[in-house]
Amino acid sequence: MSDATNSENAELTEMCQYVLRNHGKRIRPAMCILSYYVCGGKDAKKAIDVGASIELIHNATLIHDDINDQGDLRRGAKALYKEYTIGKSIVAGDYLFALGFRLLGASTDSIIDYIVDAASGLAAGEFSQKKYERNVVVDESEYMKIIGGKTARLIECAGKCGSYLAHSDAEDIDKIGQFAYNAGLAFQIIDDVLDVAGDESSTGKRVGNDIVEGKPTLPIIYAMEDPVVGSRVKEIFTNPNSTYDDAAECISLIKKTDSIARCREKARAIADEAKASLGFAPDSVYKRSLIGLIDFFVSRDR
Amino acid sequence: MSDATNSENAELTEMCQYVLRNHGKRIRPAMCILSYYVCGGKDAKKAIDVGASIELIHNATLIHDDINDQGDLRRGAKALYKEYTIGKSIVAGDYLFALGFRLLGASTDSIIDYIVDAASGLAAGEFSQKKYERNVVVDESEYMKIIGGKTARLIECAGKCGSYLAHSDAEDIDKIGQFAYNAGLAFQIIDDVLDVAGDESSTGKRVGNDIVEGKPTLPIIYAMEDPVVGSRVKEIFTNPNSTYDDAAECISLIKKTDSIARCREKARAIADEAKASLGFAPDSVYKRSLIGLIDFFVSRDR
């Protein structure tokens, strides 16, 4: 990935390196490469390239997301547009997006279809998220669609690409896809839990961001259903001028309900469903790693 | 292109259709398809797909450019981010970018390389343009590099893709590339002339935009060299608070110099050089069309 970002423009290269240096958990490349091995692949070179390509595209969308959401911090460091400018960051995001497609090289139609489907899902997920911003009408099933587009589809794509590259048949590619999609849902539910119940020094993100931004998340949706604190949570969630102080109040209200426990339970149930999709694959160190990955998703605190 | 933009999200589809409805001159697909025929291609289906793909990528960058430059109008209609929001428009641009790559389908390495090279050139061009914003140090050779990255490289890419698809040898692909690159330079010089000397009802753009935005263009660079009006032109160009009234004054000063005539002369000289690159190709209706295209670029008033 790092080699791919060298450009003729020193500042552009520097911005790409800034983004890659503060890297995240790189779960999409992990999903791609492990899925490849689980499905019997032997030489992961191509799966590594495709995984890196997906990670570059993911980073490109994060740069643009931070601009849209006016997020200050990303992975414990200043968001790119805060360190440079919005204009340059839009362009740097486009550049990383193009590099992602370059790394794909001459891939087959299927790989490109998987990735473009996921990229268009990202756009659709962003659109429904905006539709339900500060909107109490949002419910669990709408939430699942939003995080499906926003998070799970690119992780699903990573799994399907790995499986496809290992020459799996269509049925097994679907099963790995179901595993990875559900893993993505579980990951995002816990991500949203950490916005309420996380520790800033572990997560690298300010707690309460989603509440201040009016983003519909599962902990908020469940808390809005609570007969005692629900109406005050709704007030804060729908207030376009809510502050981090309001968010702190909202978090203490959410913590009085069973919302966090229900979210964790939901994530665990989805993770169990995901693991069941892996029944087709023989036991191996790679399969155990995939299961370890999803266990980490639902138990993590960062 | 229109078929490609159908998505599961109605508003996203609507935004894509908005951009495609107010289409421009579509010179990139024209360059791709004509180059294909000039180089002896017979069935243009693939060249049409690649041309459409390049046009989608071009439109994606225009959406983002308008956000960066705070441009109000695009092709006589409101810029997308003015009709919708900045956030949605960043996402819609990303989506069109992804669709562009989807339409490429399973193209060969060379086609993808040409396109990613051009896309990275766009980013580098934007970066140098920003470096020379309101900066009197900019000269003709820096300007040529900026418009090379910003405009000429994607047009060059369209020509090279067409030629490559017609199975030309490396030398002929280079020559078509030189033709198309120079055509792109000539096109952009006249575009910049029209910002000063154009008629708003023909161009669909407000005159004086580049001056208000402090963009380094050839008419401004030449006028800054003028012994009589140069110092006042410099004052307006470097003023971060300049208005459209200031731009109107600047334009009337530029018109007192030989700047516009020199720009048109420069564009014509580059067009002549471009035509010379086509010497290798036998006469045909397609070759005459390419020559007609570049003649239009340098004589157009819209």
Side-chain angles (χ1 to χ4, degrees):
Chain A
M1 288 196 296
S2 185
D3 288 350
T5 58
N6 282 317
S7 83
E8 60 203 270
N9 184 291
E11 193 178 16
L12 185 56
T13 307
E14 182 189 303
M15 289 176 76
C16 294
Q17 301 286 348
Y18 180 91
V19 170
L20 295 181
R21 194 166 54 240
N22 302 312
H23 63 78
K25 290 168 277 289
R26 295 183 171 165
I27 58 180
R28 291 157 192 80
M31 186 62 80
C32 182
I33 296 163
L34 289 172
S35 297
Y36 174 81
Y37 282 126
V38 163
C39 293
K42 297 297 174 210
D43 169 15
K45 193 185 169 312
K46 187 72 194 165
I48 290 169
D49 281 351
V50 171
S53 155
I54 293 172
E55 183 70 9
L56 288 175
I57 291 169
H58 171 59
N59 278 288
T61 65
L62 293 183
I63 294 173
H64 287 174
D65 279 358
D66 285 341
I67 299 171
N68 289 348
D69 300 340
Q70 302 173 297
D72 292 346
L73 283 181
R74 168 66 65 185
R75 298 165 175 167
K78 264 205 266 184
L80 189 71
Y81 82 98
K82 285 275 176 188
E83 184 70 22
Y84 296 85
T85 64
I86 291 185
K88 284 180 183 175
S89 299
I90 293 179
V91 176
D94 290 348
Y95 181 67
L96 274 188
F97 209 65
L99 293 185
F101 281 98
R102 161 177 273 169
L103 248 190
L104 278 182
S107 292
T108 62
D109 264 349
S110 297
I111 295 283
I112 292 174
D113 271 0
Y114 294 152
I115 292 183
V116 179
D117 278 352
S120 67
L122 281 168
E126 281 291 321
F127 269 73
S128 18
Q129 179 168 287
K130 285 200 184 285
K131 180 175 161 195
Y132 288 106
E133 242 171 43
R134 304 187 207 289
N135 184 341
V136 294
V137 169
V138 66
D139 62 11
E140 184 178 314
S141 84
E142 285 302 335
Y143 169 79
M144 290 297 171
K145 273 190 242 168
I146 293 170
I147 67 171
K150 202 178 74 155
T151 305
R153 276 179 73 173
L154 197 58
I155 296 176
E156 174 192 29
C157 158
K160 287 171 90 167
C161 286
S163 175
Y164 176 88
L165 290 170
H167 306 292
S168 296
D169 61 27
E171 208 176 311
D172 290 356
I173 295 175
D174 270 357
K175 282 178 183 150
I176 285 278
Q178 282 158 25
F179 170 81
Y181 187 86
N182 280 320
L185 294 180
F187 178 87
Q188 188 60 48
I189 291 171
I190 299 303
D191 216 59
D192 292 343
V193 163
L194 293 174
D195 186 68
V196 170
D199 172 15
E200 295 185 2
S201 65
S202 311
T203 61
K205 278 188 271 201
R206 188 157 182 187
V207 162
N209 262 333
D210 295 339
I211 299 167
V212 170
E213 289 165 17
K215 270 193 205 165
T217 70
L218 200 56
I220 298 169
I221 291 168
Y222 283 160
M224 289 196 295
E225 293 169 2
D226 187 85
V228 181
V229 308
S231 60
R232 178 65 186 140
V233 171
K234 279 183 190 172
E235 256 175 41
I236 296 172
F237 174 63
T238 55
N239 174 9
N241 303 312
S242 64
T243 62
Y244 278 95
D245 284 346
D246 297 324
E249 183 197 343
C250 194
I251 288 172
S252 75
L253 293 174
I254 294 173
K255 284 180 176 168
K256 286 183 185 155
T257 71
D258 61 353
S259 169
I260 303 291
R262 281 176 72 195
C263 289
R264 292 197 186 275
E265 185 43 50
K266 182 81 193 171
R268 263 189 300 269
I270 292 173
D272 287 344
E273 200 186 322
K275 289 179 197 169
S277 309
L278 289 185
F280 77 95
D283 180 51
S284 70
V285 63
Y286 306 111
K287 182 173 172 179
R288 274 171 272 146
S289 293
L290 271 189
I291 290 170
L293 192 64
I294 200 169
D295 284 338
F296 164 71
F297 287 177
V298 295
S299 65
R300 70 202 176 95
D301 62 1
R302 63 186 174 93
Chain B
M1 288 197 295
S2 186
D3 289 350
T5 59
N6 282 317
S7 84
E8 58 202 272
N9 184 291
E11 192 178 16
L12 185 55
T13 306
E14 182 190 303
M15 289 176 76
C16 293
Q17 300 287 348
Y18 179 89
V19 170
L20 294 182
R21 196 165 53 241
N22 302 313
H23 63 77
K25 290 168 277 288
R26 294 181 170 165
I27 58 181
R28 288 156 194 80
M31 186 63 80
C32 182
I33 297 162
L34 288 173
S35 296
Y36 174 80
Y37 282 126
V38 163
C39 294
K42 297 297 175 208
D43 169 15
K45 194 185 168 313
K46 188 72 194 164
I48 290 169
D49 281 351
V50 170
S53 155
I54 293 172
E55 183 70 9
L56 288 175
I57 291 168
H58 171 60
N59 277 286
T61 64
L62 292 183
I63 293 172
H64 288 174
D65 279 357
D66 285 340
I67 298 171
N68 288 348
D69 299 339
Q70 302 173 297
D72 292 346
L73 284 180
R74 169 65 64 185
R75 297 165 175 167
K78 264 205 267 184
L80 189 72
Y81 82 98
K82 284 276 174 184
E83 184 71 24
Y84 298 86
T85 64
I86 291 185
K88 285 179 181 174
S89 300
I90 293 179
V91 176
D94 290 348
Y95 180 68
L96 275 187
F97 209 64
L99 293 184
F101 281 97
R102 160 176 273 167
L103 249 190
L104 277 183
S107 291
T108 60
D109 265 349
S110 297
I111 295 284
I112 292 173
D113 272 359
Y114 293 152
I115 291 183
V116 180
D117 277 352
S120 67
L122 281 167
E126 281 291 322
F127 269 73
S128 16
Q129 180 169 286
K130 285 203 185 286
K131 181 174 159 196
Y132 287 106
E133 244 170 43
R134 304 188 207 288
N135 184 340
V136 293
V137 168
V138 65
D139 61 13
E140 184 178 315
S141 84
E142 285 302 335
Y143 169 79
M144 291 296 170
K145 272 191 242 168
I146 293 170
I147 67 171
K150 202 177 75 156
T151 305
R153 276 178 73 172
L154 196 57
I155 296 176
E156 173 192 28
C157 158
K160 286 170 90 168
C161 286
S163 176
Y164 176 87
L165 290 169
H167 306 293
S168 296
D169 61 26
E171 206 176 312
D172 290 355
I173 295 175
D174 270 357
K175 282 180 185 151
I176 285 279
Q178 282 159 24
F179 169 81
Y181 188 86
N182 280 320
L185 294 180
F187 178 86
Q188 187 60 48
I189 292 171
I190 298 304
D191 217 58
D192 291 344
V193 163
L194 292 175
D195 186 68
V196 170
D199 171 16
E200 295 184 1
S201 64
S202 311
T203 60
K205 278 188 272 200
R206 190 155 180 191
V207 161
N209 263 331
D210 294 339
I211 299 166
V212 170
E213 289 165 16
K215 269 192 206 164
T217 70
L218 200 56
I220 299 168
I221 292 168
Y222 284 161
M224 289 196 296
E225 293 169 1
D226 186 85
V228 182
V229 308
S231 59
R232 177 66 187 140
V233 171
K234 279 183 190 172
E235 256 175 42
I236 297 172
F237 174 65
T238 54
N239 175 10
N241 304 312
S242 64
T243 63
Y244 278 94
D245 284 345
D246 297 324
E249 182 197 342
C250 193
I251 288 172
S252 75
L253 293 175
I254 293 173
K255 285 181 176 169
K256 285 182 186 157
T257 72
D258 61 353
S259 168
I260 303 292
R262 280 176 73 194
C263 289
R264 291 197 184 276
E265 185 45 46
K266 183 81 192 173
R268 263 191 298 270
I270 291 173
D272 288 343
E273 199 185 322
K275 289 178 198 171
S277 309
L278 290 184
F280 76 94
D283 180 52
S284 70
V285 62
Y286 306 111
K287 182 173 172 179
R288 274 170 273 146
S289 294
L290 271 189
I291 291 171
L293 192 64
I294 199 168
D295 283 338
F296 164 70
F297 287 178
V298 294
S299 65
R300 72 203 175 94
D301 61 1
R302 62 190 175 93

